[in-house]
Amino acid sequence: MEQTKKVMLSGIQPSGDLHLGNYLGAIKNWAERAEEFDCYYFMADMHTITVRQDPAALRRRTLEQLAQYIACGLDPERNTLFIQSHIPAHAELGWVLNCYTMFGELSRMTQFKDKSAKHKDNINGGLFTYPALMAADILLYQPDYVPVGEDQKQHCELTRDIAIRFNHIYGDVFKVPEPYIPKAGARVMGLTAPESKMSKSIPEGCVFLMEKPEDIQRKFKRAITDSDTENCVRFDPASKPGVANLMNIYAAVTGKSFAEIEAEFAGQGYGKFKPAVGEAVIETLRPIREEAQKILADKAYLESVYKAGAEKAAYVANKTLRKVYKKVGFVPAR
Ligand code: TYM
């Protein structure tokens, strides 16, 4: 008898264009595991409105993101690709889990602290309770692993705590999932400010998946290395964070170890190293960009993908939701 596969699930907010951090921290890992796991990947559109969005841009980016998921190697035949807002069970379980998540826990979330500092005029309830919705996104599908970058580890840990708390009261309802974080690329830092993570909010230091090769190369050539005069490619994150970040990126795209990279650039200095990293990234992203452009042109295909994805996702999600409703004492509708 065929053994049932383990389940993987993850999502990305279509609040900006996908960038190298999203790719190396998350998507690359998803695509590499498609054969081994039963996979669910979604566009987390409901999460984006915790910060004001332009509606037309959100719609456009959601579809672009789907095209880019497929172009990154996520075959819709093997992976369930869907749009979060198409599955009402996310909001429904999100509400239930809100009632099992503590104010103190939510107050400690780094993403909440960062975003509320950035958007002082809009510290809304959704921004605060975001992790309960994220826990619902995850727990609905009973995954074994949640492949994310380092910055989402805290939310994944809270999801585990919520699942354990719920199971403790009602019996085994949720599988308690584990975050799955890559060795290289878990935390890609900005090219212009290596002390903070690469993010779309600092576009000069951020490499987007759809960016033209010449723009990518320009960003790498201008990347901050370090302030000492050593001009030597050596992995030392404390005193050379910019170089360590470039080495991390190079390691993630080439599969080389830090020792191999140091040997490759011994005696060559940053003048050779930075464009070499740029070139390796360009060659990694080139086929993705070309493929994504083709897929995006076929709107009917994209629609067929997200509709089929929603159908498969809803089936699994509703099963979990029904179980939860029953456990907490809601009268079944049918
Ligand atoms: P989001 O949309 O900010 O980021 C999506 C994924 O990209 C990773 N990532 C990075 N990895 C390495 N270096 C970086 N500079 C970098 N920037 C982003 C993130 O760790 C993440 O894996 N709350 C989530 C979205 C979400 C989700 C979920 C994820 C909603 N529901 C359920 C997993 C499961 C978020 O804001 O990620």
Side-chain angles (χ1 to χ4, degrees), residues 10-13 21-22 25 130 134 137 148-149 151-152 185-186 188 198:
S10 197
I12 297 182
Q13 299 190 61
N22 300 134
Y130 179 117
M134 177 158 163
D137 299 338
V148 285
D151 63 328
Q152 292 300 316
V188 179
M198 180 177 283

Side-chain angles (χ1 to χ4, degrees), residues 97-262:
L97 296 185
N98 255 311
C99 304
Y100 295 81
T101 308
M102 300 304 138
F103 182 89
E105 289 174 320
L106 294 170
S107 312
R108 285 194 287 277
M109 294 295 114
T110 319
Q111 187 164 310
F112 171 69
K113 289 189 210 162
D114 289 351
K115 287 204 173 166
S116 48
K118 248 192 233 159
H119 305 276
K120 284 206 170 62
D121 54 339
N122 185 22
I123 307 178
N124 58 69
L127 193 63
F128 188 63
T129 60
Y130 179 117
L133 178 60
M134 177 158 163
D137 299 338
I138 297 172
L139 299 176
L140 277 173
Y141 300 89
Q142 310 279 1
D144 297 272
Y145 298 107
V146 182
V148 285
E150 182 78 41
D151 63 328
Q152 292 300 316
K153 197 170 166 211
Q154 195 186 31
H155 286 158
C156 290
E157 277 162 3
L158 178 57
T159 299
R160 287 171 59 86
D161 292 344
I162 297 169
I164 292 167
R165 180 174 303 142
F166 199 93
N167 286 350
H168 188 68
I169 306 172
Y170 300 105
D172 269 349
V173 177
F174 297 125
K175 186 170 274 174
V176 181
E178 277 179 45
Y180 185 89
I181 295 169
K183 282 198 192 81
R187 196 169 170 78
V188 179
M189 310 309 274
L191 298 184
T192 49
E195 63 288 349
S196 50
K197 71 172 183 178
M198 180 177 283
S199 102
K200 58 181 186 297
S201 57
I202 309 177
E204 320 82 76
C206 180
V207 173
F208 296 97
L209 258 51
M210 292 297 109
E211 219 164 2
K212 289 201 223 85
E214 56 272 29
D215 294 338
I216 298 179
Q217 190 53 278
R218 185 175 36 81
K219 286 180 179 177
F220 275 100
K221 283 188 179 155
R222 285 190 194 156
I224 301 281
T225 39
D226 56 52
S227 48
D228 67 29
T229 50
E230 195 186 34
N231 197 18
C232 163
V233 178
R234 188 164 53 78
F235 191 72
D236 182 355
S239 60
K240 294 153 82 81
V243 175
N245 185 40
L246 290 171
M247 288 180 76
N248 194 19
I249 293 173
Y250 195 64
V253 294
T254 61
K256 291 178 184 169
S257 68
F258 293 141
E260 283 168 333
I261 298 170
E262 285 172 3

Side-chain angles (χ1 to χ4, degrees), residues 1-50:
M1 206 177 76
E2 198 193 333
Q3 242 203 323
T4 35
K5 287 180 175 177
K6 291 203 170 190
V7 178
M8 254 195 178
L9 166 133
S10 197
I12 297 182
Q13 299 190 61
S15 50
D17 295 330
L18 289 179
H19 56 71
L20 192 63
N22 300 134
Y23 179 70
L24 297 178
I27 309 173
K28 185 167 180 282
N29 238 347
W30 308 353
E32 283 167 3
R33 297 286 178 287
E35 295 290 329
E36 266 168 87
F37 293 90
D38 186 10
C39 301
Y40 296 82
Y41 298 118
F42 63 98
M43 279 51 75
D45 56 346
M46 292 168 72
H47 284 272
T48 67
I49 62 164
T50 52

